[in-house]
Structure formats: C-alpha cells, structure tokens
Amino acid sequence: MAKTEGLRERRRRQTHREIHETALRLAGERGFAKVTVEEISAEAGVSTRTFFNYFPSKEAAVIAMPPMPPDEDVAVFAAAGPAAPSDVLLDLIDLLLRDMARHPPRRDALHGMFALSQDHPAVLAAMLAGFETFQRQLAATVAARTGEQPQDEMPRLIASLTMAAIRTSLENFTSGNDDNPVPYVERAVTTLRALLGR
Amino acid sequence: MAKTEGLRERRRRQTHREIHETALRLAGERGFAKVTVEEISAEAGVSTRTFFNYFPSKEAAVIAMPPMPPDEDVAVFAAAGPAAPSDVLLDLIDLLLRDMARHPPRRDALHGMFALSQDHPAVLAAMLAGFETFQRQLAATVAARTGEQPQDEMPRLIASLTMAAIRTSLENFTSGNDDNPVPYVERAVTTLRALLGR
C-alpha cells in the first residue's frame, strides 16, 4: 500500500516538474508574454486538461513551490505531539530540509522563477499566492501536531518563520554558485537559532 | 521644522485614509467590479492624479497597509544600535504598536479589505504585494539599526516574524468585537515571547 502510494507520488512530482520546467524554458526562449498554455502542454507531452490539473495558469506553472513532504513523513512529525514551540519550529524545518535533500530544486529553475516574478506582476502575484498556500499547509501541519487550530497564532507564527527561512535560503541559493540548496537552508537555521537564543 | 513635517505627514495620512475608505465604501455599495478610479476620486474630493499619487490601482486603494512609523521614531529605533536579535524584534514590534495606538486602523475597514481579498484574486494580489513591500521596509529598518544589509538573513527573518505577528493580530481584530487593535497585537507578542523562550 505504502509502496503504491510512493509510486503515484513520484509520478505526480515528475509530471509537475516537467510542466514547470517546460514553462520556464519556453518563457526563456520566446518571452513569457508570448507563451501559451497550449504550447507548454504540447511541449511537455500532456493534454491541457492535465496541465490544468497541476496549475491554474501559465503564471502558476513558472512558479516552483516546494511540494509538501510525503504524508508518512508528515505523520511522523505530527505523532511527536506537543513540544516547546521552538522545537516544533526546528522539527518542521528539518522535515522540509530532508525532503529538499531528496528532491533538490534546480538552481536555474528557481533563478528563472525569481527573475520572471520581478518582471511580471502577474507572476509575482502567483508566487506570493503560492507562498501563502504553502504557509497555510505548514500551519495546518503544526496544528495537527500540537492540537491547536491552523488559524491560531502559534501555528501561524511558526509557519511564517519557517516559510521566511526557506524563502531566504532559496533566494540566496539562486544567487550563489553551489548546486546543492541544503547548505543554504542550514545556514538559515543557524540564523534562526540565534534569533531563538538556542 | 519637525512641526512642519508633522503637519505634512498628518495631511498625507488623512488623504490616504479618505481615498481608502471611500474606495471600500463604494465597493461595498456598488460591488468592487463596478467601481472606477474616477468615481472613487470624485467621491473622495481629489483629482485622479492625486489618487495615483497615493495608489497605483483601485485594487491597491482598498488595501489598508499600515504606513511606516514617523521618521523620528524610526531614527530612535535605529540609534539604539546592535542588540540580541530577539530584542531587536521586540523593539520593532513595539515601534509599530505605539504607532498603531496613535492611529488605530478601523475594524470595519480592515474587515472589508480581508473580505474583498477573499473574493477578488486581484485584491489578494495587491494585499500580498503590500505586505511584501511593508516587510522589505521593516527589513531595511532593522538593517539600519544593526549595520547589516536589508537582504541579509537576520533582518529578513525579523521582518517576516514581525509582519506575521501584525497580520495575525489584525485578522483576529477584524473577527473580534473590540474596536481597539492594540490588545490583539499584545496577545501576539505574548505568543511570540513563548516562541522565543522569553
């Protein structure tokens, strides 16, 4: 059962990434304004119907949002139960970090996304909306562990700090020259520990 | 000199608020899609040229972003110099809190903004872009105090946590029944202290 889930999950990640990378490549080759959903779908070898199962728009398709870690890892995190808030925060970042080490984002893809978001307000809007959604998922994940509600203050603060650390790391990663994002996140965690006095 | 500055600043805040509240009121009365910049300007008694000096679009006009505190208060914050990161964070929130106590946002206006942002993706985009800009200003304010760069990790993490605390407070404020936002921010600060272990 877990194995089937793992296969489906891998295929989902792969299709997601192929559409995303195709969208970024075509935007780079032809200019973002000129590329259509039809062209991206054809080039990625999927139907437009499949495209829209993964992304609501071409703006969204050039956005690489980290997918949530696999359900079983999230379940382990949740099962650890209530703890000091700063421990929950560091555990959550560790959960994302391990997933990122297994599926590292490509530096040129992230670089393309940040560059497009600076030139196209609609891409910036899609990126910020993506961060927002991801952050809500993180708050829900924290709440599932601590027994709070996702809209309570502590889950939201923990989620926002986690998101800020990840986002800062990824921006630094794209302007650096190391193809491995993990050390950038680890550096952000060090900064975070200094902020938390740990 | 400081007095002149104070007058100009007060007039700026007042015009900003009048345009914003008119935009929200007309959106409520006529429906957001039907209201134009011309109508908002006429009703607020300003030229469209003045409107665009304050807001880039009608989406932006329904967004109530807290203005940065007065320059002299920001200067006092900066002059305090480097300190433990959690002290800088708590000082920054205190700076915003004192400004909010002097110019409390109206609960119905904030409520209108959050409601519109849920129904209109363009308003959500403007709101998130506003948070983003405000957060960058906060990071620059922190960096001016600590001698870091605004894009360094610590200023960005402090700014994002401050923003999250303010935003959570304001959302709770709009769904509560107290017309004073200050206690909501104070409650978020208590949560934040628990996260920081202070």
Side-chain angles (χ1 to χ4, degrees):
Chain A
M1 184 65 193
K3 208 165 184 179
T4 315
E5 188 66 12
L7 271 173
R8 198 185 303 143
E9 179 58 27
R10 272 210 298 285
R11 201 147 41 200
R12 207 186 59 76
R13 276 180 190 265
Q14 197 182 344
T15 306
H16 186 277
R17 175 176 285 217
E18 270 166 23
I19 298 173
H20 165 62
E21 291 185 351
T22 304
L24 269 180
R25 180 167 58 73
L26 293 184
E29 287 169 12
R30 303 177 192 179
F32 179 72
K34 295 206 182 114
V35 180
T36 65
V37 167
E38 286 70 25
E39 287 169 336
I40 297 167
S41 306
E43 191 85 10
V46 301
S47 65
T48 55
R49 188 196 155 102
T50 299
F51 177 98
F52 286 116
N53 280 339
Y54 284 83
F55 299 101
S57 63
K58 70 168 179 170
E59 283 79 11
V62 296
I63 302 304
M65 237 1 90
M68 283 294 289
D71 289 348
E72 53 268 34
D73 291 2
V74 173
V76 170
F77 171 82
S86 58
D87 283 326
V88 174
L89 168 66
L90 292 169
D91 284 356
L92 179 62
I93 297 186
D94 193 52
L95 174 71
L96 298 176
L97 187 60
R98 276 179 287 128
D99 198 52
M100 193 186 287
R102 280 192 301 257
H103 308 281
R106 280 181 42 200
R107 197 155 63 92
D108 55 352
L110 276 178
H111 185 81
M113 172 181 87
F114 286 126
L116 283 173
S117 75
Q118 283 176 353
D119 293 340
H120 302 276
V123 176
L124 176 64
M127 187 176 87
L128 295 178
F131 289 152
E132 183 79 359
T133 303
F134 188 68
Q135 197 167 313
R136 279 180 202 277
Q137 290 172 324
L138 293 180
T141 302
V142 168
R145 168 165 172 176
T146 59
E148 292 163 291
Q149 295 300 313
Q151 69 273 26
D152 285 347
E153 268 169 4
M154 190 59 92
R156 293 189 59 180
L157 291 181
I158 289 174
S160 98
L161 200 45
T162 302
M163 190 70 219
I166 297 288
R167 194 177 156 187
T168 308
S169 310
L170 292 181
E171 288 184 17
N172 290 338
F173 168 54
T174 60
S175 51
N177 48 26
D178 183 345
D179 281 336
N180 181 4
V182 170
Y184 293 90
V185 182
E186 286 170 343
R187 213 180 66 198
V189 171
T190 304
T191 308
L192 205 48
R193 285 184 180 274
L195 178 58
L196 298 170
R198 317 230 332 197
Chain B
M1 183 64 192
K3 208 164 184 181
T4 316
E5 188 65 14
L7 271 172
R8 197 184 302 142
E9 178 60 27
R10 272 209 299 284
R11 201 146 43 200
R12 208 187 59 75
R13 276 182 191 264
Q14 196 183 343
T15 307
H16 186 277
R17 175 176 284 218
E18 270 166 22
I19 298 173
H20 165 62
E21 292 184 350
T22 304
L24 270 180
R25 180 168 57 75
L26 292 184
E29 288 168 11
R30 304 179 191 177
F32 180 72
K34 294 203 182 118
V35 180
T36 65
V37 167
E38 286 69 25
E39 288 169 334
I40 297 167
S41 306
E43 191 85 8
V46 300
S47 64
T48 55
R49 187 196 155 103
T50 299
F51 177 98
F52 286 117
N53 280 339
Y54 285 82
F55 299 102
S57 63
K58 70 168 179 171
E59 282 78 13
V62 295
I63 301 305
M65 239 358 94
M68 282 294 288
D71 290 348
E72 53 268 33
D73 291 1
V74 173
V76 170
F77 171 83
S86 57
D87 283 328
V88 175
L89 168 67
L90 292 169
D91 284 356
L92 180 62
I93 297 185
D94 192 52
L95 174 71
L96 298 176
L97 187 59
R98 276 180 287 129
D99 199 51
M100 193 186 287
R102 280 193 301 257
H103 308 281
R106 280 181 41 199
R107 198 156 62 93
D108 55 353
L110 277 177
H111 185 81
M113 171 181 89
F114 286 125
L116 283 172
S117 76
Q118 283 175 355
D119 292 340
H120 302 276
V123 176
L124 177 64
M127 188 176 86
L128 295 178
F131 289 151
E132 183 79 359
T133 302
F134 188 69
Q135 197 167 315
R136 277 181 203 278
Q137 291 173 324
L138 294 180
T141 302
V142 168
R145 168 165 173 175
T146 60
E148 293 164 290
Q149 296 299 313
Q151 68 274 25
D152 285 347
E153 267 169 4
M154 189 59 91
R156 293 189 59 181
L157 291 181
I158 289 174
S160 97
L161 200 46
T162 302
M163 190 71 219
I166 297 287
R167 195 177 156 188
T168 309
S169 310
L170 292 181
E171 288 183 17
N172 291 337
F173 168 54
T174 61
S175 51
N177 48 25
D178 183 346
D179 281 336
N180 180 4
V182 170
Y184 293 91
V185 181
E186 286 171 343
R187 212 180 68 199
V189 171
T190 303
T191 308
L192 204 50
R193 285 182 181 275
L195 177 59
L196 299 170
R198 315 229 333 196

